[in-house]
Amino acid sequence: MRAIDRDEVQRLLTCGAQRVEVLPPAEYEEEHLPGAISIPLKALDRETTGQLERGQPVIVYCYDDV
Amino acid sequence: MSPRAAWRLESLGFTEVYDYSGGKANWGAFGLPLEGTIGARAGEHVRTDVPTCSLDERLQEVRAHVRASHWDTCLVVNEKRVVLGRLGRRALAREDDVTVEEAMSSGPSTVRPNVTVEAMLERMRRQNLSNIVVTRLDGVLVGLLRHEDAERLLASAAVLPPAANGDTVEA
């Protein structure tokens, strides 16, 4: 796992990185990064991550770093 | 929260996992597009033709340029378009021949482009502001959100979330 900044996110998006918002669904509904999927932290398990491509990079994010 | 999620993904066998620690607050504060139901954001409805000038220009020349463009304000920016100051009506009306730096108000209040138009309108009403400067998190100018534009938007009930690939501000 590595922490990255916005520039690196944008670079990874051009390489097909997947985006996962880990906030509760209501916050995801309000706003999320384009193309992101919602898997709340509490629901992160083998089953819910089954929709992700294991061979591709995955970027997780929440609201901010506070 | 997201570092824990990233480590959890690694524990589930994912090998290339990144934590965008700035999160969607950082993304939106740079004027990058977001999807969702939250409504129109300031950065999507700014006027980008607001006049700008640099610190070392002469006020008299700037005034002529500002008046010709039918504005009554001018933002003072550096070569990276970072907002350093503002010339308002009173400064622009000065008769003496001074530099922009001498005439400007330093460090005007600014908001980020991901703040909703609704929240900005409420603030402009409360503080009796005719407009508000929108800058990215790094201080770079996005544009000027005018009170009348925000009023018109809300009145026309046009404050709907933009389409997925809609009219968003490039950073």
Side-chain angles (χ1 to χ4, degrees):
Chain A
M1 190 286 270
R2 190 158 62 83
I4 57 171
D5 63 12
R6 190 187 59 266
D7 288 342
E8 198 151 5
V9 171
Q10 290 183 291
R11 189 185 63 74
L12 283 165
L13 290 186
T14 64
C15 307
Q18 306 161 94
R19 290 78 78 196
V20 179
E21 179 165 324
V22 297
L23 290 165
E27 292 180 53
Y28 170 86
E29 288 301 322
E30 274 203 340
E31 57 178 0
H32 52 263
L33 265 59
I37 64 164
S38 169
I39 310 179
L41 178 64
K42 289 180 192 302
L44 207 56
D45 58 25
R46 207 161 292 280
E47 191 183 334
T48 55
T49 57
Q51 60 189 305
L52 296 169
E53 195 71 53
R54 280 174 187 266
Q56 292 290 325
V58 183
I59 302 166
V60 297
Y61 70 89
C62 53
Y63 188 73
D64 56 24
D65 54 1
V66 179
Chain B
M1 172 189 274
S2 55
R4 286 187 287 146
W7 286 117
R8 178 69 179 120
L9 279 173
E10 291 219 336
S11 77
L12 289 164
F14 287 86
T15 53
E16 200 181 341
V17 182
Y18 302 95
D19 170 32
Y20 175 23
S21 44
K24 59 185 175 184
N26 177 271
W27 187 263
F30 276 86
L32 293 167
L34 288 160
E35 298 171 349
T37 58
I38 201 167
R41 297 178 179 82
E44 297 156 5
H45 297 282
V46 292
R47 298 289 180 116
T48 54
D49 58 343
V50 58
T52 58
C53 63
S54 59
L55 286 173
D56 53 1
E57 286 184 75
R58 306 302 303 182
L59 181 63
Q60 288 182 356
E61 288 158 25
V62 171
R63 178 170 52 230
H65 160 65
V66 171
R67 287 188 176 157
S69 60
H70 305 290
W71 281 86
D72 57 6
T73 191
C74 183
L75 297 173
V76 185
V77 298
N78 68 6
E79 65 285 355
K80 294 184 188 300
R81 303 276 295 166
V82 170
V83 175
L84 303 176
R86 180 172 185 162
L87 296 168
R89 277 185 210 141
R90 197 177 309 160
L92 285 166
R94 279 176 67 160
E95 293 297 329
D96 44 345
D97 183 27
V98 293
T99 63
V100 164
E101 186 173 14
E102 290 170 288
M104 73 176 192
S105 306
S106 291
S109 296
T110 65
V111 298
R112 303 293 79 76
N114 55 335
V115 176
T116 63
V117 171
E118 197 173 2
M120 280 306 91
L121 181 57
E122 200 273 323
R123 177 168 165 186
M124 288 191 282
R125 283 173 177 165
R126 194 177 62 241
Q127 299 180 355
N128 198 25
L129 303 172
S130 56
N131 53 58
I132 200 148
V133 182
V134 180
T135 60
R136 306 188 328 188
L137 193 60
D138 57 0
V140 170
L141 177 65
V142 176
L144 198 74
L145 180 68
R146 302 199 314 173
H147 190 154
E148 61 194 90
D149 291 344
E151 290 282 5
R152 198 178 309 121
L153 256 170
L154 286 197
S156 66
V159 184
L160 295 170
N165 297 306
D167 188 21
T168 47
V169 173
E170 299 281 332

